[in-house]
Amino acid sequence: MRLVADGTTPVSRLVLVDQLENDDRYTFDLDSPLFLSAGDRTGFEGGNPVVARASDERLRPAASWKSVSRR
C-alpha cells in the first residue's frame, strides 16, 4: 500500500505500507514493508522516513529507500 506521509494525519486502522509519498508527489519504495497501527503518523525528517507512534515513540526505519521515482 502507498501512503501519503504528511506527518500530521494519523492512520485510522492497521495497515501494511511498502511505499511512502511526500507532498511533492515523489514515491519512495521502502526496503521492507512497515506495519502502522491506528493513530501512527508518517513523515520525513532530513529526507528519511519517521514514524510517530500514538504512544509518542518515534521510529526511523533502517535502510530507508530503494528507489525514488516521479509519479
Side-chain angles (χ1 to χ4, degrees):
M1 169 183 221
R2 177 183 296 163
L3 183 69
V4 176
D6 63 6
T8 58
T9 306
V11 296
S12 60
R13 60 184 169 85
L14 181 67
V15 294
L16 178 64
V17 177
D18 60 358
Q19 295 180 323
L20 295 174
E21 183 177 306
N22 68 7
D23 292 336
D24 294 329
R25 300 185 58 89
Y26 282 95
T27 301
F28 299 88
D29 293 328
L30 295 171
D31 287 342
S32 61
L34 179 64
F35 277 103
L36 300 175
S37 298
D40 290 352
R41 296 180 322 268
T42 57
F44 298 99
E45 290 179 1
N48 295 312
V50 175
V51 176
R53 298 277 188 200
S55 65
D56 291 331
E57 178 184 5
R58 295 176 71 77
L59 303 175
R60 298 176 191 280
S64 303
W65 312 116
K66 281 197 296 192
S67 65
V68 179
S69 59
R70 183 77 170 165
R71 187 171 79 132

